């Protein structure tokens, strides 16, 4: 009997290892023959620990399993049975392209990876010129999934056209935004897809070396990625002759050191070079003068991990999903105070309300939803009145928000938006790299100004708005430049939380 | 606090030299030193500067920029409690405050018996099973008061 349990952090954090141990022990005690496979995450975090048992070739799920449940799970008498996993509403409603294999295969099993379409894209890429690969990625409409939404193909073309003795592919795996975990999930659950994507990027632009800058807060992802790299090197996916093509590409993991700002690409490059992670002024673009001053592709994990499926199925197939200029799928991460949280991959275009209310089932607390912060700590707080906004880059921009890395944090009506605004400024002050004044000084003054508002100082509101304008226009990078989004959206959309403080003071 | 593993100059030099072939070797060196000694020993700063042709001030600047690197070793276990928005939405802020009060320390502090150092962390990627924390390299999610107490007791706090 095949039994599957996730080894993803979100599963082990809620006891999956204990369940796995109990299952193994129970099976041994009772003489039941089981083959226990540890897989990535299906993305249904609220069902973890999730146990899947293969019955007649179909994987049946059991959700929220504790070690006490294992006997009933194995004889299929458990009241935690969910039926076939692929038939669960959450799974049925998705279009899984980037995450097709995640939670299905064993993360470090290259044969299973191959059996599920892996390496088809890279093999195809080895038969194309760099320019042809770049065109394919451009035609797919893929845009940077890290937050900026810059067209990936255009970035690649710049690096492709640059002439230099050495070029680099750098993967930004410094996923520091609260509410986001897609990068972590794919690195822990399907690491070869990122490796394949980076190798394709290397062939496309003529880069022979790559780095994954992975945050130290993700020890499990670091371990899995390093193990996957060893396997990929041994199997000829990486090395002097990628897939026997005669073209070279190799890559390594580099571990960050707890600085949020290193998720900004130029800070990341400085950090990778062994410097303080301060932001660089642009130009020059990293595409022309990046790591060690050489032309460098800097892409987010999800952007790179999506490239293999684009090369496998063709640009048009990917571009057929989505709305407007947001092509393909969004890997939405639903988090916070939410009944059903996890990873939901779907074509761009679903509305915020549909996702939060229908897919995610509202709050975990059962109280009314008050706000959803979309796009991490630098994203706006969206009120219920904006729940009809479709998930798309331009659509969110028009509504005064940003999609960012597509993380959504849901808050119920107990949330104090003044405190959330204050936290945004405090976070910016803690994490500022210190290079530009609006961010370094502005964030600290921002905390003080919000404290004045909390004490009932009406005049401080005007100062806060002015300060936010300055930070927005004058900061070098998105940390100082976007912190005004959560702050001002809280002030504008939830005026009661700011007015009440004043009235209470009077 | 006395380091459990006192740093010898030769040993530190060997750790540094091991990484000199890398592109951008300083962060890997710092991680390796901290893995070995539990902190970045003061004596290593000059050695790194010499090996990498940097000034001591530049090396010092890098060490102090990053939250991860310590001047002195932490307690026997490092507990990182997430302070970020998703964990806040599930009551993480009050849980963190209660925990610190109970341990009688502030952020970055170490319990009197040296068992536990508590650090803030801004996101562990466990946002769909918040609130979350990490003890050394082991993650814990869906925390409440009793689970935190149990985990801290196991760590000897």
């Amino acid at each position: 009997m095949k039994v599957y349990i996730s080894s993803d952090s979100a599963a082990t954090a809620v006891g999956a290892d204990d369940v796995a141990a109990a299952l193994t022990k129970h099976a041994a005690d009772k003489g039941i023959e089981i083959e226990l496979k540890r897989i990535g995450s299906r993305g249904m975090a609220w069902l973890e620990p999730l146990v899947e048992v293969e019955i007649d070739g179909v994987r049946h799920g059991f959700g929220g399993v504790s070690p006490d449940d294992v006997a009933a799970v194995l004889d299929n008498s458990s009241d935690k049975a969910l039926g076939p996993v692929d038939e669960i509403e959450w799974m049925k409603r998705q279009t899984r392209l980037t995450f097709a294999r995640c939670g299905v295969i064993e993360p470090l099993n290259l044969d299973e990876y191959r059996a599920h379409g892996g390496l088809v894209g890279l093999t195809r890429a080895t038969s194309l010129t760099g320019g042809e690969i770049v065109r394919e990625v451009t035609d797919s409409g893929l845009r940077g999934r890290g937050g900026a939404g810059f067209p990936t193909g255009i970035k690649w073309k710049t690096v492709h056209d640059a002439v230099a003795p050495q070029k680099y592919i750098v993967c930004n795996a410094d996923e520091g935004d609260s509410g986001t975990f897609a990068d972590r999930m794919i690195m822990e659950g399907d690491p070869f897809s990122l490796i394949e994507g980076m190798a394709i990027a290397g062939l496309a632009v003529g880069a022979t070396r790559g780095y994954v800058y992975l945050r130290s807060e993700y020890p499990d992802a670091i371990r899995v990625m390093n193990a996957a790299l060893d396997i990929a090197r041994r199997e000829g996916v990486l090395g002097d002759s990628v897939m026997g093509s005669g073209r070279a590409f190799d890559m390594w993991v580099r571990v960050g050191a707890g600085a949020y700002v290193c998720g900004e690409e130029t800070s990341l490059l400085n950090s990778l070079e062994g410097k303080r992670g301060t932001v660089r002024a642009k130009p020059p673009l990293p595409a022309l003068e990046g790591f060690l001053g050489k032309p460098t592709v800097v892409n987010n994990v999800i952007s790179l991990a999506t490239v293999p499926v684009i090369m496998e199925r063709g640009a048009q197939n990917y571009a057929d999903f989505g709305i407007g200029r947001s092509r393909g799928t969004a890997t939405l991460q639903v988090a916070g105070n939410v009944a059903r949280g996890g990873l939901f991959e779907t074509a761009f275009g679903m509305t915020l309300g549909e996702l939060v209310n229908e897919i995610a089932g509202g709050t975990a607390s059962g109280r009314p939803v008050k706000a959803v912060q979309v796009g991490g700590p630098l994203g706006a707080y969206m009120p219920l009145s904006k729940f009809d906004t479709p998930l798309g880059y331009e659509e969110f921009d028009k509504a005064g928000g940003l999609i960012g890395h597509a993380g959504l944090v849901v808050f119920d009506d107990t949330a104090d938006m003044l405190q959330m605004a204050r936290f945004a400024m405090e976070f910016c002050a803690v994490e500022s790299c210190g290079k530009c004044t609006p961010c370094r000084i502005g964030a600290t003054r921002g905390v003080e100004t919000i404290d004045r508002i909390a004490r009932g100082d009406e005049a401080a509101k005007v100062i806060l708005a002015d300060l936010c304008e300055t930070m927005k226009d004058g900061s070098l990078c998105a940390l100082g430049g976007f912190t005004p989004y959560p702050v001002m959206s809280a002030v504008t959309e939830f005026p009661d939380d700011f007015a009440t403080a004043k009235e209470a003071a009077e | 606090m006395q380091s459990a593993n006192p740093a010898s100059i030769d040993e530190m030099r060997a750790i540094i030299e091991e990484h000199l072939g890398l592109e951008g070797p300083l962060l890997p060196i710092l991680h390796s030193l901290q893995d070995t000694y539990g902190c970045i020993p003061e004596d290593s700063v000059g050695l790194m500067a010499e090996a990498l042709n940097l000034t001591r001030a530049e090396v010092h600047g890098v060490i102090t920029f990053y939250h991860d690197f310590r001047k002195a070793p932490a307690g026997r276990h490092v507990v990182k409690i997430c302070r970020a928005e998703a964990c806040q939405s599930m009551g993480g802020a009050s849980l963190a405050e209660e925990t610190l009060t109970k341990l009688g320390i502030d952020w970055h502090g170490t319990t009197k018996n040296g068992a536990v150092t508590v650090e803030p962390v801004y996101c562990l990627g466990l946002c769909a099973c918040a609130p979350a924390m990490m003890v050394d390299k082991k993650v814990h999610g869906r925390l409440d008061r009793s689970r935190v107490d149990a985990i801290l007791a196991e760590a000897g706090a």
Side-chain angles (χ1 to χ4, degrees):
Chain A
M1 189 190 320
K2 276 187 188 160
V3 182
Y4 301 82
I5 299 178
S6 174
S7 56
D8 185 272
S9 299
T12 59
V14 295
D17 287 344
D18 295 339
V19 173
L23 258 166
T24 309
K25 183 173 185 309
H26 179 78
D29 289 351
K30 299 286 171 187
I32 306 168
E33 221 171 278
I34 63 165
E35 185 190 345
L36 178 63
K37 286 175 162 256
R38 300 303 297 267
I39 51 174
S41 170
R42 293 275 200 169
M44 298 183 284
W46 83 97
L47 290 178
E48 295 292 356
L50 172 70
V51 177
E52 297 174 50
V53 179
E54 197 170 287
I55 303 170
D56 300 328
V58 176
R59 284 158 69 162
H60 289 248
F62 298 85
V65 175
S66 77
D68 297 337
D69 298 321
V70 297
V73 166
L74 287 180
D75 66 20
N76 201 12
S77 67
S78 172
D79 58 357
K80 294 187 171 173
L82 304 161
V85 173
D86 289 331
E87 297 302 315
I88 297 172
E89 201 60 18
W90 178 277
M91 298 304 295
K92 262 171 53 180
R93 292 184 69 165
Q94 293 184 67
T95 302
R96 286 210 165 196
L97 300 179
T98 309
F99 279 82
R101 284 175 293 260
C102 195
V104 177
I105 66 168
E106 288 176 307
L108 293 173
N109 189 328
L110 192 60
D111 291 331
E112 281 192 1
Y113 182 73
R114 273 200 197 92
H116 286 79
L119 300 180
V120 173
L122 178 57
T123 305
R124 184 174 160 234
T126 58
S127 70
L128 302 176
T129 66
E132 286 167 339
I133 302 170
V134 170
R135 196 168 316 123
E136 189 89 17
V137 172
T138 307
D139 291 347
S140 75
L142 179 66
R143 292 167 68 177
R145 297 288 188 249
F150 189 81
T152 305
I154 293 179
K155 192 183 273 184
W156 285 20
K157 188 172 189 315
T158 309
V159 179
H160 172 270
D161 292 349
V163 180
Q166 180 68 55
K167 302 177 187 178
Y168 294 97
I169 308 298
V170 170
C171 171
N172 184 344
D174 196 41
E175 186 181 50
D177 289 350
S178 177
T180 66
F181 45 84
D183 298 353
R184 182 187 60 64
M185 249 181 79
I186 205 102
M187 289 188 290
E188 290 183 17
D190 191 19
F192 292 121
S193 66
L194 174 58
I195 294 170
E196 184 178 355
M198 287 183 69
I200 294 171
L203 297 179
V205 305
T208 54
R209 299 171 75 85
Y211 291 98
V212 180
Y213 185 91
L214 217 171
R215 62 201 297 262
S216 62
E217 293 87 343
Y218 284 177
D220 294 308
I222 293 167
R223 178 177 45 77
V224 178
M225 277 309 304
N226 275 321
L229 285 172
D230 286 343
I231 296 167
R233 227 169 265 134
R234 206 163 57 225
E235 298 288 325
V237 177
L238 297 173
D240 292 338
S241 178
V242 171
M243 306 296 289
S245 66
R247 288 147 87 179
F249 184 77
D250 206 345
M251 56 183 274
W252 299 269
V253 167
R254 281 296 172 82
V255 179
Y260 172 80
V261 76
C262 289
E264 197 282 333
E265 62 176 0
T266 61
S267 302
L268 185 154
L269 291 170
N270 275 339
S271 182
L272 202 56
E273 290 178 7
K275 299 173 182 157
R276 290 165 68 88
T278 49
V279 174
R280 299 176 184 173
K282 289 193 264 190
L285 292 172
L288 296 173
E289 290 178 42
F291 182 54
L292 300 173
K294 299 291 189 295
T296 304
V297 167
V298 186
N299 277 150
N300 169 256
V301 174
I302 299 300
S303 313
L304 288 163
T306 300
V307 168
V309 73
I310 291 171
M311 294 307 293
E312 178 196 345
R313 301 192 188 180
Q316 194 55 46
N317 183 291
Y318 191 76
D320 283 345
F321 297 97
I323 52 163
R325 287 177 51 221
S326 305
R327 308 315 309 174
T329 55
T331 51
L332 304 166
Q333 300 130 79
V334 193
N337 194 333
V338 68
R340 294 188 289 272
L343 184 121
F344 191 89
E345 182 176 357
T346 185
F348 282 101
M350 178 179 274
T351 65
L352 179 59
E354 190 181 355
L355 182 71
V356 172
N357 292 326
E358 288 178 37
I359 307 286
T363 62
S365 61
R367 302 181 66 94
V369 174
K370 179 170 185 174
V372 182
Q373 188 178 28
V374 184
L378 309 177
Y381 285 101
M382 305 290 278
L384 295 177
S385 61
K386 292 187 174 174
F387 267 32
D388 58 352
T389 311
L391 289 151
Y393 294 103
E394 281 69 29
E395 291 72 12
F396 254 68
D397 187 44
K398 253 186 271 167
L402 56 114
I403 286 228
H405 188 40
L408 298 94
V409 178
V410 178
F411 291 82
D412 73 11
D413 62 352
T414 61
D416 178 346
M417 300 313 290
L418 182 140
Q419 285 305 320
M420 297 318 296
R422 185 186 191 279
F423 178 80
M425 282 292 190
E426 187 192 350
F427 179 71
C428 182
V430 171
E431 296 297 336
S432 175
C433 82
K435 179 144 175 171
C436 71
T437 317
C439 175
R440 186 184 68 246
I441 309 280
T444 300
R445 295 290 96 89
V447 173
E448 295 164 1
T449 310
I450 293 171
D451 285 343
R452 279 174 61 186
I453 296 172
R455 288 195 300 268
D457 183 350
E458 187 70 28
K461 283 187 187 171
V462 185
I463 297 171
L464 182 64
D466 187 56
L467 174 64
C468 281
E469 275 304 306
T470 305
M471 288 176 70
K472 212 170 168 177
D473 295 337
S475 298
L476 264 177
C477 83
L479 180 51
F482 287 10
T483 293
Y485 272 101
V487 174
M488 289 314 294
S489 61
V491 173
T492 313
E493 305 292 349
F494 306 92
D496 289 355
D497 285 9
F498 293 79
T500 317
K502 179 183 188 294
E503 280 155 21
E506 284 168 354
Chain B
M1 190 186 218
Q2 191 66 40
S3 167
N5 190 348
S8 84
I9 298 291
D10 287 346
E11 193 182 55
M12 288 190 293
R13 203 169 262 146
I15 291 171
I16 293 165
E17 275 169 14
E18 217 176 287
H19 297 90
L20 289 181
L22 300 178
E23 294 177 309
L26 187 49
L27 256 62
I29 290 172
L30 290 169
H31 276 302
S32 193
L33 287 170
Q34 183 149 308
D35 285 348
T36 309
Y37 304 110
C39 67
I40 308 297
E42 185 58 40
D43 291 345
S44 69
V45 176
L47 300 177
M48 285 185 275
E50 190 187 308
L52 298 172
N53 198 24
L54 297 170
T55 64
R56 288 177 59 99
E58 283 169 314
V59 176
H60 176 80
V62 172
I63 296 168
T64 52
F65 182 85
Y66 296 96
H67 298 307
D68 280 4
F69 300 127
R70 307 173 174 285
K71 275 188 171 164
R76 288 188 291 282
H77 300 283
V78 176
V79 175
K80 292 185 174 177
I81 303 179
C82 181
R83 289 196 65 205
E85 288 88 344
C87 286
Q88 288 187 43
S89 78
M90 290 298 280
S94 53
L95 190 66
E97 248 167 64
E98 287 166 19
T99 305
L100 290 171
T101 306
K102 196 170 175 212
L103 295 175
I105 54 176
D106 204 346
W107 291 112
H108 311 287
T110 303
T111 53
K112 272 192 191 135
N113 65 2
V116 161
T117 299
V118 177
E119 300 279 0
V121 66
Y122 297 93
C123 199
L124 294 165
L126 300 170
C127 320
C129 48
M133 68 184 205
M134 182 155 77
V135 181
D136 302 323
K137 289 185 174 183
K138 188 169 165 41
V139 287
H140 302 274
R142 278 186 219 145
L143 295 170
D144 54 25
R145 189 64 198 266
S146 65
R147 277 204 65 210
V148 172
D149 287 349
I151 293 163
L152 290 175
E154 199 184 319

